Amino acid sequence: MTKLIHLTDPHLMPPGEPLYGLDPQARLTAAIDHVAAHHGDADCMVITGDLTHWGDDAAYDVLKRELDRLPFPAYPLIGNHDQRPAFQEAFLNIGRDPNGYVQYRIDTRAGRFLMMDTVQEGTHAGWYDQERQEWLKGELDAAAEEDQPVYLFAHHPPFQIHIRMMDMIRLVQWEEVAALLAETRADIRHYFFGHVHRPISGCWRGIPFSTLYGTNHQVALDLGPAEDAPMTHEAPAYNVVLLSDDLTVIHTCPYTYDGPTIDHRNDRNTDEAARAAGRAQVAAQQG
Ligand SMILES: [Fe+2]
């Protein structure tokens, strides 16, 4: 089994600068602390973009320092709030495609992770032009040839999520990407994305997808006609993704929760016989 931590949209500012009434660095530090304490056995972390809010060098430095504290590798990709040159200057070890975009592959025991660059200077909308599509097509062909399952990672979703503000800045070339994904022989298992600052999962044209809360601020759940959705202070989260050959399981961890854990073993309705049978079943499955 491969254990992936999916975290998104930290929107880091230079140290000490707040964003929407919150401290993005403190929020990320808490996430990294929590992941290291509870999921130090993970294989890797992927951060699906909007690493920083304005693309400041000092903000990328904060990110680097935080990710260096993890006991496993972290793979960032960029979002519409990032600055590609500043990111690439700070993360020299992160791959790029032949045209200089932040597109790269990671081989894991679960299969091949393909990291897509959907950023276009001058717009918050997602952008995936011909040359980036060529890279993806080549990678998908190679994965199919090598019989590797594929997991896609991008900042922008290509489909509507029915929050109007976010749908207005989804992937512009979504139809071309949809056609490319429909035509490939590759075994695409999941599409992970960021950008929308909400926990959403579903299935698009046969491809399961998921995203989650950002680590700083969130976007209100407003499915009405307004073109602008307010930001909120809903609790942040990261996802723990468990990948095996026949199963994808995604757990969401609201890592700032500091309330009680409640011992329910003395509930009147607890059926000890059923619990014993359950224990035996789990033990048998684990061999
Ligand atoms: Fe964002």
Side-chain angles (χ1 to χ4, degrees):
M1 189 167 68
T2 295
K3 186 177 190 178
L4 156 73
I5 307 297
H6 179 197
L7 184 142
T8 198
D9 291 76
H11 283 255
L12 289 164
M13 302 281 283
E17 289 190 31
L19 179 64
Y20 302 131
L22 297 165
D23 179 345
Q25 182 176 356
R27 282 296 189 88
L28 180 66
T29 299
I32 300 295
D33 284 348
H34 200 278
V35 168
H38 298 277
H39 303 288
D41 62 340
D43 291 274
C44 63
M45 172 183 282
V46 176
I47 310 176
T48 44
D50 281 359
L51 309 167
T52 67
H53 193 62
W54 298 118
D56 297 290
D57 294 344
Y60 288 115
D61 289 343
V62 169
L63 180 64
K64 260 178 66 168
R65 279 200 305 277
E66 289 296 333
L67 298 185
D68 281 348
R69 298 197 294 117
L70 289 168
F72 46 75
Y75 302 110
L77 47 123
I78 57 172
N80 49 292
H81 279 272
D82 287 303
Q83 294 292 332
R84 192 178 293 107
F87 168 80
Q88 288 179 323
E89 181 86 6
F91 287 85
L92 294 170
N93 60 324
I94 291 298
R96 56 184 79 182
D97 73 9
N99 298 305
Y101 293 107
V102 184
Q103 304 208 104
Y104 56 101
R105 74 157 75 151
I106 300 294
D107 278 323
T108 73
R109 279 174 288 130
R112 189 156 288 168
F113 291 3
L114 297 182
M115 312 303 192
M116 300 160 62
D117 181 336
T118 57
V119 176
Q120 185 76 0
E121 199 180 336
T123 177
H124 283 295
W127 201 262
Y128 212 65
D129 48 30
Q130 202 61 40
E131 55 186 4
R132 291 182 242 195
Q133 291 175 35
E134 288 296 328
W135 174 85
L136 181 58
K137 186 174 180 324
E139 288 292 330
L140 290 172
D141 287 349
E145 195 67 34
E146 295 163 42
D147 215 14
Q148 285 289 317
V150 169
Y151 298 87
L152 297 172
F153 296 83
H155 183 65
H156 293 82
F159 40 79
Q160 288 180 297
I161 58 161
H162 302 297
I163 293 177
R164 188 145 185 236
M165 179 180 79
M166 304 313 294
D167 287 344
M168 289 163 61
I169 52 172
R170 70 167 159 159
L171 208 59
V172 170
Q173 297 86 355
W174 68 271
E175 284 174 299
E176 292 167 38
V177 171
L180 196 160
L181 297 180
E183 285 162 14
T184 183
R185 291 180 298 112
D187 176 10
I188 300 173
R189 298 283 177 90
H190 203 90
Y191 187 102
F192 296 92
F193 62 103
H195 191 49
V196 300
H197 294 244
R198 294 215 59 79
I200 301 171
S201 59
C203 189
W204 176 61
R205 301 184 177 202
I207 302 174
F209 63 77
S210 62
T211 185
L212 70 153
Y213 286 123
T215 59
N216 193 63
H217 55 283
Q218 319 304 348
V219 170
L221 176 54
D222 180 353
L223 303 177
E227 288 189 357
D228 210 9
M231 304 298 175
T232 76
H233 284 188
E234 289 162 83
Y238 61 78
N239 277 353
V240 182
V241 182
L242 303 172
L243 302 173
S244 50
D245 196 43
D246 61 350
L247 183 64
T248 298
V249 177
I250 302 178
H251 293 276
T252 295
C253 179
Y255 62 88
T256 54
Y257 177 71
D258 63 356
T261 52
I262 296 148
D263 186 341
H264 65 106
R265 282 174 296 183
N266 294 323
D267 281 2
R268 265 196 311 169
N269 292 332
T270 299
D271 180 342
E272 189 47 44
R275 287 163 62 96
R279 264 185 233 115
Q281 202 173 24
V282 169
Q285 282 165 356
Q286 288 174 343

